[in-house]
Amino acid sequence: MLDESLLDSPEGLAEADRRALLRGAAEAGARVRTAARQAAEAGVGGLAPDGRPRAVLIAGPGAAATQTADLLGTLAGAGSPVTRLAPTGVAPAAGALRWELPGWAGSVDLLLIATPDGTEPGLSLLAEQAYRRGCTVVAVAPARTPLAETVNGSHGLFLPMATAPYDQDEPLAASAPGVLWALLTPLLALLDRTGLLSAPPDAMEKVADRLDAVAERCGPAIATYSNPAKTLAAELAEALPLVWTEGVSAGPAGRRFAAALAELSGTPAVVAELPEALAAHSALLAGRLAAGADPDDFFRDRVEDPPALHARVVLLRDRPIGGLTAAPAARELALTHDTPVSELEPEEGGELETLAELIAITDFAAVYLALASGA
């Protein structure tokens, strides 16, 4: 059950936030600036690649690497394929995971390693394997870790992850706001130098400014009625979020939101892109998860029993491609089935800025839902 009174208690939120999730969300802009500065100090700005890599491979543990690969692949487009190397192993522990290069990987390919840990033996073995194959290796991880030593020893490029002192207080959640930007920012700077995407220093400064602006709008001191993140968190209480996205940037933002809801608050969510979402999820709106559905009998004890779980559409929109939009059809479908709709649309700006705003608001919402539900 969601404790809505906690949402408007900054002191209560701070006490409940044992993992410093709110602080990580609030300091996302500062994390981007720190990561960009450290990448520049590591020499990224002076790189002069011969050309675009044939393919970009990304390896790392858990949701952080998955979301980084998703975001980079979306921003890069069809210029070079971006592929995440999924790990194998008997457990998600650092010592149990292993990664393998595809058989075709060679000297014209780029391997990116992104991890908030850096102690995984499997990633060190992967870096050595890539070196023997002739692949260029770039890693982002905490400094002074075994992975840093391996990459430097294999003539790769190591970029220190921008960490904060409180990162060491509790085990880092893979979907924590600070983790994403600490891993993503240096890789954006790197791929900008290769020509794979556009993320120059001035664009990253605008991203940091947009993240700061969201933190001002969505911070714990801002009341729920004027705080879009708190409002969304309250709306998702006892609901199954159907996250529908429209626009290039909204897709990865929606997938990250679903992952953050699952990891941080234990809230299941399903995500799909418009217009396909209307067909893929129409049965969910018409079945037992519909707003008017009550699968129990008339004599159920409605005081003692928890409320039934019902669907709620969360519409994340970016600029529609070609001016075409399925949003009216989405609203009509939801209205037909008495399903409430929450909508988020970023302010105008560059692709990186709008993407950052959608991620930041949904990050805050996932954190508030986790704290107010006692997760």
Side-chain angles (χ1 to χ4, degrees), residues 162-297:
T163 58
Y166 56 83
D167 286 345
Q168 311 304 321
D169 296 340
E170 294 283 342
L172 284 173
S175 295
V179 173
L180 174 69
W181 293 110
L183 295 177
L184 182 64
T185 301
L187 296 180
L188 286 172
L190 174 76
L191 295 186
D192 175 72
R193 296 300 301 168
T194 68
L196 193 62
L197 51 78
S198 178
D202 61 330
M204 296 310 300
E205 184 61 33
K206 291 180 180 178
V207 167
D209 290 342
R210 184 69 65 99
L211 292 172
D212 288 344
V214 172
E216 292 179 2
R217 293 168 52 204
C218 299
I222 307 301
T224 299
Y225 68 86
S226 60
N227 187 319
K230 288 184 179 180
T231 299
L232 180 57
E235 291 170 345
L236 294 183
E238 308 303 331
L240 172 68
L242 306 184
V243 183
W244 293 354
T245 68
E246 184 174 61
V248 176
S249 296
R255 291 186 286 273
R256 171 174 168 79
F257 186 36
L261 286 172
E263 182 181 1
L264 301 182
S265 68
T267 301
V270 289
V271 59
E273 297 186 12
L274 292 175
E276 289 88 350
L278 303 181
H281 292 171
S282 60
L284 293 176
L285 298 181
R288 59 187 177 87
L289 294 172
D294 188 353
D296 296 327
D297 61 59

Side-chain angles (χ1 to χ4, degrees), residues 31-363:
R31 189 80 68 125
V32 167
R33 294 187 183 92
T34 300
R37 185 186 71 251
Q38 291 182 350
E41 292 172 352
V44 170
L47 295 177
D50 294 334
R52 293 185 176 186
R54 177 182 62 179
V56 177
L57 306 172
I58 301 182
T66 301
Q67 293 160 13
T68 299
D70 189 11
L71 289 162
L72 292 178
T74 299
L75 294 168
S80 288
V82 176
T83 304
R84 178 180 177 250
L85 301 180
T88 58
V90 297
L97 297 175
R98 294 292 182 271
W99 289 261
E100 290 290 335
L101 288 175
W104 48 262
S107 59
V108 293
D109 302 311
L110 172 63
L111 172 64
L112 304 178
I113 299 176
T115 173
D117 188 339
T119 65
E120 303 91 344
L123 288 177
S124 295
L125 292 173
L126 179 67
E128 293 172 353
Q129 181 186 10
Y131 173 66
R132 292 193 298 269
R133 293 269 200 98
C135 294
T136 301
V137 180
V138 179
V140 181
R144 296 181 295 279
T145 56
L147 180 61
E149 297 177 5
T150 300
V151 172
N152 287 326
S154 300
H155 304 287
L157 175 62
F158 178 77
L159 303 175
M161 176 182 169
T163 58
Y166 56 83
D167 286 345
Q168 311 304 321
D169 296 340
E170 294 283 342
L172 284 173
S175 295
V179 173
L180 174 69
W181 293 110
L183 295 177
L184 182 64
T185 301
L187 296 180
L188 286 172
L190 174 76
L191 295 186
D192 175 72
R193 296 300 301 168
T194 68
L196 193 62
L197 51 78
S198 178
D202 61 330
M204 296 310 300
E205 184 61 33
K206 291 180 180 178
V207 167
D209 290 342
R210 184 69 65 99
L211 292 172
D212 288 344
V214 172
E216 292 179 2
R217 293 168 52 204
C218 299
I222 307 301
T224 299
Y225 68 86
S226 60
N227 187 319
K230 288 184 179 180
T231 299
L232 180 57
E235 291 170 345
L236 294 183
E238 308 303 331
L240 172 68
L242 306 184
V243 183
W244 293 354
T245 68
E246 184 174 61
V248 176
S249 296
R255 291 186 286 273
R256 171 174 168 79
F257 186 36
L261 286 172
E263 182 181 1
L264 301 182
S265 68
T267 301
V270 289
V271 59
E273 297 186 12
L274 292 175
E276 289 88 350
L278 303 181
H281 292 171
S282 60
L284 293 176
L285 298 181
R288 59 187 177 87
L289 294 172
D294 188 353
D296 296 327
D297 61 59
F298 178 79
F299 299 100
R300 175 173 65 86
D301 187 342
R302 299 169 189 273
V303 175
E304 297 296 331
D305 288 0
L309 185 68
H310 294 310
R312 185 182 189 98
V313 171
V314 180
L315 184 57
L316 302 184
R317 301 184 63 208
D318 193 10
R319 294 159 297 182
I321 299 174
L324 299 175
T325 176
R331 298 187 193 101
E332 182 178 358
L333 178 63
L335 180 63
T336 301
H337 294 288
D338 298 321
T339 301
V341 179
S342 302
E343 294 193 40
L344 289 179
E345 186 172 354
E347 298 179 3
E348 292 186 1
E351 185 176 15
L352 283 171
E353 293 173 75
T354 57
L355 175 62
E357 181 174 340
L358 287 175
I359 290 175
I361 295 176
T362 51
D363 275 354

